[in-house]
Amino acid sequence: MTGRLAIDGGTPVRTAPWPAWPRSGAAERRALTEVLESGRWGLGGGAVPELEARFAALHGARYAVACCNGTMALQAALVAAGVQPGDEVVTSPYSFVATAHAIRSLGAVPAFADVAAGTHNLDPARIEDAITERTTAILPVHIGGRPVDMDRVNEIAARRGLRVIEDAAQAWLASWRGRAVGTLGDAGAFSFQSSKNLTAGEGGMVLTSDEALYRRAWSWHDCGRDPEGSRHEHADVGLNLRMTEFQAALLLAGLERLPAEQAIRRQAMDALAKGLADIDGLRTPDPDPRITAHGCHVFMVRIDESRLGAGSSDGRDKSWMIEALRAEGIPAHHGYGKPLQPGLPVCEVLCRTTVWIKHEVLLAGAAQMQDVVDAFAKVLTPRF
């Protein structure tokens, strides 16, 4: 793909719109109206328990705890796993800040290990470097919906006596060796924030198959109550992190579409990986046959540093690349501009070089990904 760049006044690769997000329709209106007219907008309603049961079953977990947002779901999972003030939790620097905030909110300390360039996930070879005598848990982040190497994470955790809490905020229906992400450690936490593939504007979920961990997470999210106790008995310390019936109603409607939507996104992601792999100057994610389903929140492509900034022939940086792609009609995203912990070399490079293509673009389907491929090829064509 050649020609004058759209950013310089040329014709864009694409002018057609991409799918809007979030989606809504008759199912959402009906679900919200039912809650509205029921008079049970919070406690005592049926939508939250139904969502918990269906989300757990869909992922193969025994228990689920619906929370007000993903950060608090992650916090509840950490509390349930026994993380205490002063403990250290090994986690990824390539993540949204909520990963670290959930740890810090408990008075614990995030201990960052570097990531692997071809996955953007925790590098298992670096995890043990971050473990000290104060470490109590590992918190892998399935960033963009790509499962972490949970074989290695769980092996290290078992050998070192550590808990594993999965940050699955971007990984609905993702799986590793046929098992759902969020059920591979002691517990997993999901998000339903407005940008997510399954959304109610906000919301979160804890999944686990450990009854003791479930009961502790449930108690923490509901003011220290016991799951079978009276509403006026508070056996432990806890917060009010409950999800509303309105959130649950929206999520139940979205859950009906999620498997089909994820299938479309996966086909589109495969098409992108194939189409971009042969473009000089780009690096696509490393393949891994153990990933049996990707969560498809973000497709991440890396630009060779030789094409960026001082290393390039024209001094163009990633921000210029993003603007050029957008001018071509491709809503490329910057992703994380800085690591949560400075100084980790691989993460630093990824923040400088990674471009995101988000899930709403993938929803256009595999055939439409050719426009994305053509735009990258056009923008990366050397200009002399």
Side-chain angles (χ1 to χ4, degrees):
M1 173 64 64
T2 58
R4 188 181 184 189
L5 294 177
I7 199 171
D8 295 328
T11 302
V13 168
R14 183 184 177 99
T15 57
W18 296 97
W21 192 260
R23 291 178 165 181
S24 65
E28 283 76 13
R29 287 190 290 272
R30 183 169 56 252
L32 290 171
T33 298
E34 287 176 0
V35 170
L36 182 68
E37 295 179 348
S38 74
R40 294 189 178 274
W41 299 354
L43 293 172
V48 168
E50 181 182 353
L51 175 67
E52 290 172 332
R54 289 181 58 185
F55 198 79
L58 190 62
H59 290 82
R62 291 179 62 194
Y63 307 104
V65 180
C67 298
C68 55
N69 60 57
T71 308
M72 293 297 96
L74 191 55
Q75 183 199 70
L78 290 165
V79 168
V83 173
Q84 300 285 330
D87 288 350
E88 294 180 359
V89 178
V90 177
T91 193
S92 170
Y94 194 82
S95 184
F96 183 58
V97 70
T99 301
H101 282 176
I103 298 168
R104 292 294 300 270
S105 71
L106 301 176
V109 180
F112 295 101
D114 210 349
V115 294
T119 70
H120 292 77
N121 282 331
L122 270 178
D123 184 346
R126 300 286 180 242
I127 290 175
E128 291 200 82
D129 294 341
I131 295 174
T132 72
E133 67 280 358
R134 296 169 59 192
T135 305
T136 57
I138 303 173
L139 200 165
V141 182
H142 304 291
I143 200 67
R146 179 188 173 113
V148 176
D149 183 346
M150 292 302 294
D151 293 353
R152 294 284 302 281
V153 170
N154 284 335
E155 184 277 323
I156 293 168
R159 179 161 41 82
R160 302 296 292 264
L162 305 174
R163 290 281 206 170
V164 175
I165 304 299
E166 300 171 71
D167 185 336
Q170 301 176 355
W172 324 261
L173 298 184
S175 63
W176 175 262
R177 294 185 183 273
R179 289 186 57 197
V181 160
T183 69
L184 300 167
D186 294 286
F190 294 78
S191 172
F192 308 124
Q193 180 263 351
S194 58
S195 71
K196 302 301 194 291
N197 299 33
L198 177 63
T199 181
E202 288 292 353
M205 188 75 75
V206 179
L207 291 186
T208 186
S209 290
D210 182 319
E211 182 179 4
L213 197 151
Y214 157 71
R215 296 179 72 88
R216 179 68 180 120
W218 195 97
S219 180
W220 181 259
H221 108 294
D222 196 7
C223 305
R225 297 181 174 102
D226 185 272
E228 291 86 32
S230 163
R231 300 302 303 173
H232 299 290
E233 292 179 7
H234 305 270
D236 207 343
V237 174
L239 301 175
N240 178 2
L241 309 180
R242 296 188 301 266
M243 177 181 285
T244 71
E245 285 285 288
F246 290 106
Q247 289 173 292
L250 283 172
L251 292 167
L252 284 167
L255 204 58
E256 292 292 330
R257 298 192 307 267
L258 183 64
E261 288 176 342
Q262 291 293 77
I264 293 170
R265 292 178 177 115
R266 287 182 188 123
Q267 291 170 359
M269 186 172 279
D270 288 344
L272 263 187
K274 292 174 184 176
L276 295 176
D278 294 330
I279 296 178
D280 185 38
L282 292 184
R283 297 185 183 184
T284 53
D286 291 348
D288 190 332
R290 297 171 296 177
I291 297 174
T292 43
H294 197 291
C296 297
H297 184 55
V298 179
F299 181 86
M300 299 184 188
V301 61
R302 293 170 288 152
I303 303 172
D304 284 344
E305 285 210 278
S306 62
R307 297 297 191 94
L308 297 172
S312 70
S313 60
D314 50 21
R316 294 170 173 174
D317 61 10
K318 187 176 86 168
S319 292
W320 181 90
M321 292 281 185
I322 296 287
E323 292 308 309
L325 288 166
R326 290 177 177 174
E328 299 295 342
I330 310 303
H333 193 279
H334 285 83
Y336 303 127
K338 294 181 180 180
L340 294 181
Q341 173 66 52
L344 296 171
V346 176
C347 190
E348 294 274 5
V349 171
L350 292 181
C351 288
R352 291 196 300 269
T353 61
T354 300
V355 175
W356 288 9
I357 302 297
K358 298 184 71 177
H359 71 95
E360 54 266 39
V361 175
L362 301 177
L363 266 181
Q368 299 297 308
M369 295 305 102
Q370 189 60 48
D371 284 343
V372 181
V373 173
D374 289 347
F376 269 100
K378 184 179 178 183
V379 168
L380 282 161
T381 298
R383 310 286 165 180
F384 299 103

